[in-house]
Amino acid sequence: MNSKTPKTKAGQAAEKLVEAQVGRSLWDDAWARLKANRAAMTSFVVLFFIALACFFGPFFTGHQYDTVYRNYVKVPASLAAYPRDDEIAPALEKVLKRARLTAENIKIADKEVIVQATSKRAINEKAVRYFDRSDLFKNAAFSGFSDDKKSVTITAKIDRIHFYFGTDANGRDLLTRTLIAGRISLIIGLLASGVALLIGVTYGSLSGYFGGRVDLIMMRVVDVLYSLPFIFFVILLVVFFGRNFILMFIAVGAVEWLDMARIVRGQTLSIKRQEYVLAAEAMGVGAGGILRRHIIPNTLGPVVIFVTLLVPKVILLESFLSFLGLGVQEPMTSWGVLISEGARNLQGASWMLIFPSIFLTATLFALNFIGDGLRDALDPKDR
Amino acid sequence: MTDTKTPLLDINDLHVHFETNSDKDVHAVRGIHMHIEKGETVAVVGESGSGKSQVMMSAMGLLADNGWVEGSVKYNGAEILGLSKRKLNSYRGSKMTMIFQEPMTSLDPLYTIGRQICEPLRVHQKMDKKRAMARALELLELVGIPEPKKRLKSYPHEMSGGQRQRVMIAMALANDPDLLIADEPTTALDVTIQAQILQLLADLQKKLGMAILFITHDLNIVRRFADRVYVMKTGEVVEEGNTAEIFDNPSHDYTRMLLSAEPEGTKEAPDTGAPVLLEGKGVNVTFNITSGLFGSQTHTLRAVNNVDIRLHQGQTIGIVGESGSGKSTLGRALLRLTDISGEVLLDGVDMSEIAGDAMREQRKRLQLVFQDPFGSLSPRMMVGQIITEGLLVHHPELSAKERDLRAIEALEEVQLDPSMRNRYPHEFSGGQRQRIAIARAMVLKPRIVVLDEPTSALDRSVQKQIVDLLRDLQEKNNLSYLFISHDLTVVRAMSDYVMVMKQGVIVEEGLTEQIFDAPTELYTKQLMAAAFDLEPISA
Amino acid sequence: MLRYVFKRLLTAIPTLFIIVTLSFFLIRVAPGGPFDLERPLDPKVMENLNKIYNLDKSLLEQYFIYMNNVLHGNLGPSFFFRDFTVAEMFGNGLPISVEIGGYALLMAIIVGGALGVWAALKQNQLPDYSVMTVATMGITIPNFVVAPILTLIFGVMLGWLPVGGWNNGAWENKVLPIITLGLPQVAVVARLTRGAMIEALRSHHIRTARANGLPGWMVVVVHALRGALLPVVSYAGPAAAALLTGSVVIETVFGIPGVGRYFVQGALNRDYPLVMGTVIVIAVFIMVFNLIVDLLYAWLDPRVRYD
């Protein structure tokens, strides 16, 4: 703000121009206070890394969020790679059985397996696909066919893959899914808050600025909307918009604007009565100038605070809807969906609950701390 | 009076510190010595920020949480500083009591007056409910509250400010204290009420014989009531002595400055031939106060009732009245900032016939300065922007650089350092902010300025500077002022014509010396007596 | 005061009417019907069902029929749970939800209030920081995370409490639901009480009370707490209405047969009477508790007396 009086003036050296000292605006003060708030600054860092991980992480996990590993359903979180050594032999036998081959001689090395296999019938080259279908092996190749094609040497690489957060009940990598889910949750949070901000600020400032009868009617509408059960709205919106999440969360934003409208209206009403507004009116400043220079900059503080606190609220709401099964649809996912799945698989697969919960709560925590920090910084009581 | 060797209250080498957000300690009181004898009246005088209140707050154990105190405070020879809350409670409320500046908020809004007066009685004297109530009734009679029996059951919000201060006094006197500390007890009250409360305190002292300590910025109070005075400045006592000595022969510069800080001089009336700039004929302002769910109940408040006024070029009309008299509303009505009925003529043209852009054009000739230098400057704009905002409207052709030059000129005109134009209002003191507000009004080269209590929120010494500044500006630019104030001293110094307002009506008007020297109306007489002699005059 | 209550109840009627009307038409605008199952019903059967439930009539007619029934205290049959009327369903479920919600509310006010006062009295000291950290956690962590995690710890790992189910209201089965439902409210009440208390302690009349030498407990309890209760009371009204009408998350996670699930179930199955019944019950709760709040407020604060 306040960049209108350029500081480069000093260089121009007009004869009467006195170099201006640099003032400390209330924003500068607030920023200094915020920087001193350790919880808020830590939260910024945490949030930054969560956002970074969610937006870029999925490119580096080595898994797609919707890839199903049938051999790795509900495997626990682990830093070590899968498959485990003792899983290789049984898995191999299963594959051979499917391919109707009998193993004669199995050699399991660190990175590959070599199998001598026989069959009662001639072995088709295509049988190699049974290996590729398994999640444990890749690049299987047949070599050294016997003349009757009834015996063959198969070499296949062992596909060592990592599931740092384990897998879900369908055998999908939970790390990738958690990050993808975070992407959805964060986008939704920002999107819906943006919509709420837009509607709320416009509605509230108009209502407050015009006042009188207009204000009365506009606020009565808000009151009526308030008294409707909120969940009722959301469910109707789900029904209306289907499960298109972007549309849906524009709609959620359209519901969440009520508080924003009230806050902005209250602010506008009180600022309108301030003497500096009266002074501007006495100078002949029009409605536009008063809104732009006096009212909006002074409502900005509470609005910023409210938006920071609205984002976690919306994320929570989305998670809640997803938890009820009303949110985003498979195979797309969000933290709420993952937590709901985790809750259902509580016994035996607790990692499915724990990891998404950590991400969700860390994000909500960070946003709340930032919001609280902003409030303390922008609105210090003992000023 | 000083028949015992130990003083009633003996303060030695008292320091008060406050811890603030910016890691800097504020050393509010810097090693002061004070003593109060039995039955005497002592005043502690100083401007805001002198630490005068903090001295007594620390003696009473009422410092804010971020403050701490060093030194010694002895009550009848017994150290009370650093006592546990429990032990301190056997002194405060029974032997030492205190009343405060804010009568409106100093009583608990949730309990009846009777119950609140009873509390200290029941705690300190272990009275039962019935006896305490009887004593409370006695006390209300003592402090002159009408219908005391009924008032016992009233809540604070049902009483006026003056009555609440009486209740505070009743509470403070409940246990026959030896010392009553009065922290600016009349500052928030209207002049006539001020005089009544001060008289009440003086009478009660005569009757009950306790010592009174006044903390005040008002030298009139000191002169009239105090036996001895301590003058405080930035946390130190710069001068002490008997009241008469200090007033006749101040030794410290600061004391001399305080004593000469009353605005002085008078203003000559402009030539009789000076043109009338602004004229109000039969001005009425009514407010509809709506209540009920759909604004079903309305009642009408007549804030300004049929006022005629003529402001000549170069003239200053002082409008005097107590709070709620409608004087500020009249000022705004004349600038057409509220809806009115009646006529306001600007240069002989009815303002209601000037519409839209033409009115905006006229606005630059009419400017306004407010009482509250904190609320009247937009907190998120730089001083330069605040001052030049009017230029954006009226001289859109000016470049940013030219506007900056105008801001520099305006700041120089009000004797502020122009290099501060990129600073923000919160970085300035009250007096400086008021100068900024004046610069904002002057930058448009107006002809008429409405000054709405421009000095009331300021210390006396700063008041004087602002008054001088306003007079200089008037002379230089041939301005006309409408000077609205409850402060008769300032009005006398500023204006050549005075109108006295009460409940929306002008009760008396005339040339300044005429009104001040020979008021005819009873109300004007009461005002004068209250303001200059601190004597309540009953009707 | 009775006149005030009466007047308030009277003004509640049009509001209720608007809410019911709005909800009625809103839910009908949504596509789909109560009997659109995955396997379509025989057209004949469908026609019969529609006839029984008056769905063949025009929307306006249906509206008047429904309103008429409601005025006679008949909330209609459930379309989905066909053996029950809506009134029966609430008769069964509401006491359960009210019981769980009531305990949660009680816990919120007592524990939250006490923590808030403690934090305020020890402002910027260790108790304050710890209470506020825990409160932030309580507000931040959603109950659908808390519920399964508490179950994981106390049900699965420690085995102290049952993992879920109602078991005819055995106390072990109530503990976790009540705690889970109450925790966020404890946190909110603690924060509110702390803020209000700090403000109250700074006010001028507290200074007066101290200057009068009143003992510390009297200053805190008699003078500060009563004023500090006001914002808590305003919050507790709507919160009580929400708690007592059941929580869909708690009831789903712990398998409790309360009324919190009716709304979601009803809306998804287009069980119109059930949805409408829920709307009416919730609206009535909200209004009643708003009234109670206003009465309490007026009792606590003489400046706000009913007129």
Side-chain angles (χ1 to χ4, degrees):
Chain A
M1 322 199 40
N2 292 316
S3 56
K4 266 188 203 149
T5 330
K7 288 181 188 113
T8 54
K9 273 275 172 63
Q12 298 174 6
E15 76 277 39
K16 253 196 94 177
L17 226 46
V18 189
E19 192 175 341
Q21 298 171 6
V22 183
R24 284 177 61 79
S25 73
L26 294 178
W27 295 108
D28 295 336
D29 283 356
W31 176 235
R33 273 192 293 269
L34 190 61
K35 270 201 293 198
N37 184 335
R38 244 175 295 156
M41 291 325 274
T42 317
S43 299
F44 268 123
V45 175
V46 169
L47 200 61
F48 176 75
F49 279 112
I50 288 179
L52 206 66
C54 288
F55 283 94
F56 299 105
F59 300 119
F60 303 104
T61 54
H63 303 281
Q64 294 295 314
Y65 72 93
D66 52 356
T67 312
V68 171
Y69 297 95
R70 258 183 236 117
N71 298 81
Y72 300 120
V73 171
K74 284 205 216 175
V75 299
S78 164
L79 290 176
Y82 287 95
R84 305 280 197 240
D85 288 342
D86 56 349
E87 290 166 359
I88 298 173
L92 191 60
E93 267 160 31
K94 238 187 221 163
V95 171
L96 289 169
K97 206 171 156 196
R98 285 234 177 93
R100 290 166 205 259
L101 297 169
T102 319
E104 302 266 292
N105 184 7
I106 299 179
K107 262 198 281 178
I108 301 175
D110 186 31
K111 283 183 178 159
E112 59 176 12
V113 286
I114 303 169
V115 186
Q116 294 261 305
T118 57
S119 175
K120 287 175 192 148
R121 272 177 274 160
I123 297 168
N124 192 328
E125 287 258 2
K126 283 180 187 156
V128 79
R129 69 175 185 257
Y130 289 106
F131 279 85
D132 290 340
R133 264 186 212 160
S134 165
D135 299 319
L136 278 68
F137 308 109
K138 61 181 178 186
N139 300 337
F142 285 3
S143 61
F145 278 104
S146 63
D147 295 339
D148 57 0
K149 293 232 169 183
K150 283 186 181 169
S151 120
V152 73
T153 307
I154 310 161
T155 51
K157 294 260 187 299
I158 299 172
D159 194 3
R160 300 262 180 196
I161 42 183
H162 289 270
F163 297 111
Y164 297 108
F165 286 6
T167 60
D168 69 5
N170 289 324
R172 291 174 294 196
D173 176 42
L174 198 61
L175 172 60
T176 317
R177 287 183 71 70
T178 305
L179 296 181
I180 285 283
R183 229 190 244 183
I184 300 287
S185 291
L186 289 175
I187 289 175
I188 282 172
L190 291 176
L191 206 66
S193 302
V195 173
L197 179 74
L198 205 70
I199 305 180
V201 169
T202 317
Y203 195 94
S205 57
L206 287 180
S207 178
Y209 189 73
F210 287 116
R213 198 128 294 201
V214 178
D215 180 43
L216 197 77
I217 293 167
M218 287 176 88
M219 280 301 122
R220 211 109 292 239
V221 170
V222 171
D223 287 345
V224 169
L225 290 178
Y226 251 113
S227 60
L228 280 177
F230 167 69
I231 187 92
F232 184 80
F233 256 121
V234 179
I235 288 169
L236 278 179
L237 292 169
V238 175
V239 172
F240 272 132
F241 292 113
R243 305 232 172 134
N244 179 332
F245 85 81
I246 296 206
L247 275 180
M248 197 175 116
F249 277 91
I250 289 177
V252 168
V255 174
E256 284 285 342
W257 62 270
L258 293 172
D259 285 318
M260 178 70 89
R262 281 195 168 175
I263 289 172
V264 172
R265 168 182 172 268
Q267 284 287 315
T268 311
L269 277 181
S270 80
I271 292 168
K272 210 173 69 172
R273 281 195 287 266
Q274 296 288 317
E275 290 187 335
Y276 54 80
V277 172
L278 205 59
E281 271 172 26
M283 274 186 296
V285 179
I290 287 178
L291 271 174
R292 206 170 51 246
R293 279 193 296 275
H294 299 284
I295 293 185
I296 290 175
N298 286 302
T299 47
L300 228 48
V303 168
V304 167
I305 295 164
F306 183 74
V307 170
T308 347
L309 294 173
L310 183 60
V311 175
K313 219 171 130 191
V314 174
I315 291 178
L316 197 65
L317 175 68
E318 182 277 329
S319 308
F320 171 67
L321 288 176
S322 298
F323 181 84
L324 294 181
L326 298 172
V328 296
Q329 287 230 284
E330 289 285 321
M332 203 20 100
T333 188
S334 79
W335 284 332
V337 176
L338 293 179
I339 289 169
S340 142
E341 282 168 8
R344 257 181 271 129
N345 293 286
L346 201 58
Q347 278 152 311
S350 52
W351 61 88
M352 282 178 63
L353 174 66
I354 289 167
F355 288 108
S357 299
I358 288 174
F359 268 72
L360 176 64
T361 43
T363 307
L364 296 178
F365 253 114
L367 282 165
N368 274 310
F369 275 129
I370 292 171
D372 284 352
L374 275 173
R375 174 163 41 213
D376 293 346
L378 286 168
D379 181 28
K381 280 161 220 109
D382 41 7
R383 184 165 39 178
Chain B
M1 269 185 194
T2 50
D3 51 339
T4 44
K5 280 195 185 119
T6 43
L8 185 62
L9 195 70
D10 193 8
I11 299 173
N12 272 303
D13 196 26
L14 187 81
H15 292 261
V16 180
H17 301 260
F18 287 99
E19 185 186 18
T20 62
N21 285 343
S22 51
D23 295 331
K24 263 185 290 177
D25 286 349
V26 174
H27 198 167
V29 176
R30 300 156 183 260
I32 62 140
H33 300 265
M34 251 180 220
H35 62 96
I36 298 152
E37 307 297 334
K38 291 191 178 72
E40 75 170 337
T41 306
V42 176
V44 180
V45 199
E47 303 198 301
S48 50
S50 61
K52 59 187 189 298
S53 290
Q54 300 311 331
V55 175
M56 288 304 140
M57 288 291 185
S58 45
M60 291 288 282
L62 295 174
L63 274 189
D65 286 343
N66 61 339
W68 72 94
V69 58
E70 294 161 345
S72 145
V73 177
K74 286 194 174 123
Y75 176 86
N76 259 343
E79 180 65 50
I80 57 170
L81 211 58
L83 281 186
S84 72
K85 284 247 156 77
R86 185 184 298 255
K87 283 194 178 139
L88 191 58
N89 279 343
S90 63
Y91 291 94
R92 42 183 201 187
S94 62
K95 299 190 171 98
M96 303 158 57
T97 56
M98 191 159 180
I99 59 175
F100 302 94
Q101 182 177 354
E102 305 88 355
M104 304 309 276
T105 51
S106 290
L107 292 165
D108 192 330
L110 305 182
Y111 296 98
T112 59
I113 299 302
R115 167 157 186 179
Q116 293 188 60
I117 300 179
C118 286
E119 273 179 347
L121 290 167
R122 302 189 64 182
V123 166
H124 294 291
Q125 299 191 29
K126 310 278 181 264
M127 279 190 191
D128 61 34
K129 201 172 171 184
K130 216 171 142 193
R131 277 182 55 213
M133 268 298 175
R135 171 80 175 134
L137 185 66
E138 239 175 80
L139 285 162
L140 284 188
E141 275 165 10
L142 185 70
V143 298
I145 289 211
E147 295 186 85
K149 202 156 203 164
K150 218 170 117 197
R151 280 308 189 187
L152 279 178
K153 294 195 188 82
S154 295
Y155 287 96
H157 69 277
E158 297 164 329
M159 309 180 98
S160 69
Q163 282 183 326
R164 292 191 209 185
Q165 199 59 294
R166 284 173 192 265
V167 172
M168 283 296 291
I169 295 171
M171 251 164 109
L173 298 179
N175 291 314
D176 294 318
D178 299 327
L179 172 64
L180 173 67
I181 300 166
D183 187 357
E184 305 259 13
T186 58
T187 308
L189 302 171
D190 276 329
V191 269
T192 50
I193 312 289
Q194 263 182 30
Q196 290 167 11
I197 295 287
L198 288 170
Q199 192 60 50
L200 173 69
L201 284 173
D203 291 347
L204 287 171
Q205 186 181 29
K206 217 172 281 169
K207 210 183 282 178
L208 306 172
M210 72 279 187
I212 294 185
L213 186 125
F214 272 111
I215 300 167
T216 184
H217 68 279
D218 189 339
L219 291 168
N220 282 330
I221 294 180
V222 179
R223 179 153 36 196
R224 214 175 119 71
F225 292 101
D227 302 326
R228 277 192 311 119
V229 187
Y230 291 91
V231 181
M232 279 190 74
K233 185 200 175 196
T234 54
E236 283 168 55
V237 172
V238 295
E239 188 163 2
E240 61 171 293
N242 289 330
T243 308
E245 274 170 40
I246 292 223
F247 273 82
D248 295 342
N249 192 12
S251 63
H252 195 275
D253 286 346
Y254 183 71
T255 318
R256 267 191 292 250
M257 194 277 289
L258 274 185
L259 287 173
S260 65
E262 295 235 314
E264 282 163 348
T266 49
K267 184 183 174 300
E268 291 289 304
D271 296 338
T272 40
V276 176
L277 290 185
L278 189 71
E279 181 169 11
K281 286 183 188 167
V283 177
N284 282 295
V285 181
T286 49
F287 293 120
N288 287 324
I289 297 173
T290 54
S291 50
L293 196 56
F294 293 99
S296 45
Q297 294 134 354
T298 48
H299 72 102
T300 316
L301 180 81
R302 238 175 207 214
V304 176
N305 197 346
N306 214 13
V307 170
D308 294 314
I309 187 171
R310 286 155 71 93
L311 182 63
H312 297 262
Q313 176 145 24
Q315 190 182 30
T316 302
I317 298 184
I319 297 179
V320 179
E322 298 187 289
S323 54
S325 62
K327 55 188 192 302
S328 289
T329 314
L330 175 64
R332 281 160 209 203
L334 292 172
L335 295 190
R336 295 305 305 260
L337 288 169
T338 46
D339 289 329
I340 64 163
S341 66
E343 267 183 294
V344 179
L345 308 172
L346 181 64
D347 282 332
V349 184
D350 189 347
M351 287 221 286
S352 61
E353 277 159 26
I354 314 172
D357 286 345
M359 185 63 220
R360 194 157 296 157
E361 182 56 32
Q362 294 300 325
R363 283 256 173 250
K364 68 176 174 183
R365 305 166 59 195
L366 304 165
Q367 283 303 311
L368 188 58
V369 174
F370 296 96
Q371 167 177 6
D372 177 12
F374 292 84
S376 65
L377 303 177
S378 206
R380 294 187 192 277
M381 284 167 80
M382 286 191 263
V383 166
Q385 294 175 314
I386 291 173
I387 292 174
T388 56
E389 189 182 7
L391 297 174
L392 285 177
V393 180
H394 297 289
H395 301 283
E397 73 282 358
L398 291 180
S399 70
K401 197 175 135 191
E402 285 166 313
R403 279 205 307 275
D404 210 32
L405 278 172
R406 294 283 285 271
I408 292 170
E409 277 172 25
L411 283 169
E412 280 171 347
E413 206 171 7
V414 296
Q415 295 147 29
L416 280 178
D417 180 0
S419 70
M420 303 211 275
R421 67 189 181 283
N422 279 4
R423 292 183 165 264
Y424 292 86
H426 63 106
E427 301 175 275
F428 292 88
S429 70
Q432 285 175 318
R433 292 189 205 204
Q434 203 56 291
R435 284 172 193 271
I436 294 165
I438 292 169
R440 169 176 61 186
M442 295 301 165
V443 82
L444 290 173
K445 313 255 180 266
R447 294 167 64 197
I448 300 166
V449 182
V450 173
L451 303 159
D452 189 354
E453 305 256 15
T455 60
S456 302
L458 307 173
D459 280 329
R460 267 287 181 214
S461 55
V462 183
Q463 269 184 17
K464 191 181 180 194
Q465 296 162 10
I466 296 290
V467 166
D468 289 342
L469 172 68
L470 286 170
R471 279 203 291 228
D472 283 353
L473 289 169
Q474 181 171 41
E475 224 158 275
K476 216 158 67 187
N477 303 319
N478 201 14
L479 294 169
S480 306
Y481 285 152
L482 204 63
F483 191 85
I484 298 164
S485 182
H486 71 276
D487 187 337
L488 292 167
T489 323
V490 184
V491 170
R492 177 155 64 180
M494 280 291 295
S495 36
D496 52 76
Y497 193 85
V498 175
M499 302 171 94
V500 181
M501 214 170 164
K502 187 191 180 189
Q503 289 167 358
V505 182
I506 303 290
V507 291
E508 187 169 5
E509 60 182 300
L511 293 175
T512 303
E513 54 265 42
Q514 191 185 320
I515 295 284
F516 277 79
D517 298 341
T520 55
E521 291 296 314
L522 175 67
Y523 180 68
T524 318
K525 285 181 190 163
Q526 285 177 340
L527 274 184
M528 297 296 160
F532 296 110
D533 311 322
L534 295 172
E535 296 236 31
I537 289 193
S538 48
Chain C
M1 192 188 111
L2 270 176
R3 255 190 59 201
Y4 172 77
V5 174
F6 186 69
K7 225 171 91 185
R8 277 290 301 268
L9 289 177
L10 222 60
T11 53
I13 289 171
T15 319
L16 196 60
F17 174 78
I18 293 172
I19 289 173
V20 172
T21 307
L22 217 62
S23 319
F24 184 89
F25 289 105
L26 273 176
I27 184 96
R28 291 309 178 95
V29 173
F35 308 114
D36 300 346
L37 303 179
E38 283 189 19
R39 227 160 15 107
L41 287 172
D42 184 50
K44 199 82 191 162
V45 180
M46 189 80 152
E47 202 177 301
N48 266 335
L49 278 172
N50 280 345
K51 203 164 231 158
I52 293 170
Y53 294 123
N54 291 321
L55 292 172
D56 53 344
K57 302 213 169 68
S58 79
L59 198 55
L60 213 60
E61 267 178 282
Q62 290 183 43
Y63 171 69
F64 286 119
I65 291 170
Y66 182 74
M67 287 311 260
N68 189 33
N69 284 342
V70 169
L71 286 180
H72 290 90
N74 177 8
L75 294 173
S78 166
F79 290 173
F80 189 75
F81 305 95
R82 281 190 222 157
D83 297 334
F84 295 95
T85 66
V86 172
E88 279 167 358
M89 292 178 68
F90 277 101
N92 294 335
L94 201 55
I96 295 172
S97 290
V98 167
E99 188 188 349
I100 301 272
Y103 281 124
L105 185 69
L106 214 63
M107 168 173 140
I109 290 172
I110 294 172
V111 180
L115 286 176
V117 171
W118 190 42
L121 291 177
K122 305 272 174 191
Q123 200 199 347
N124 295 333
Q125 295 168 34
L126 190 66
D128 183 23
Y129 291 131
S130 19
V131 168
M132 280 304 103
T133 310
V134 174
T136 312
M137 274 165 64
I139 290 174
T140 317
I141 306 177
N143 54 6
F144 55 84
V145 175
V146 174
I149 285 180
L150 286 184
T151 317
L152 183 65
I153 296 171
F154 294 102
V156 178
M157 288 165 147
L158 298 174
W160 291 352
L161 293 165
V163 171
W166 180 237
N167 192 18
N168 282 323
W171 71 268
E172 311 92 61
N173 293 60
K174 289 184 203 156
V175 174
L176 283 182
I178 290 170
I179 289 177
T180 317
L181 193 58
L183 270 183
Q185 306 300 329
V186 169
V188 175
V189 170
R191 279 175 78 130
L192 268 177
T193 313
R194 173 184 176 270
M197 199 64 191
I198 286 173
E199 210 184 305
L201 286 172
R202 278 186 193 159
S203 61
H204 288 144
H205 66 261
I206 293 298
R207 187 181 61 187
T208 307
R210 292 217 169 105
N212 278 329
L214 303 190
W217 68 266
M218 208 167 154
V219 173
V220 171
V221 177
V222 179
H223 289 283
L225 190 59
R226 184 161 168 185
L229 276 180
L230 295 173
V232 179
V233 166
S234 328
Y235 171 79
L243 286 177
L244 298 182
T245 48
S247 151
V248 52
V249 170
I250 304 294
E251 290 175 12
T252 311
V253 173
F254 294 106
I256 294 167
V259 298
R261 299 159 307 162
Y262 289 172
F263 198 86
V264 178
Q265 284 175 349
L268 289 180
N269 298 320
R270 304 287 186 282
D271 190 345
Y272 302 140
L274 185 57
V275 172
M276 294 302 300
T278 315
V279 169
I280 292 174
V281 167
I282 292 176
V284 167
F285 264 83
I286 290 177
M287 282 169 188
V288 168
F289 277 95
N290 276 338
L291 178 62
I292 293 176
V293 163
D294 287 351
L295 292 178
L296 262 178
Y297 212 98
W299 177 67
L300 284 171
D301 188 346
R303 286 166 298 182
V304 194
R305 285 281 147 95
Y306 9 81
D307 50 356

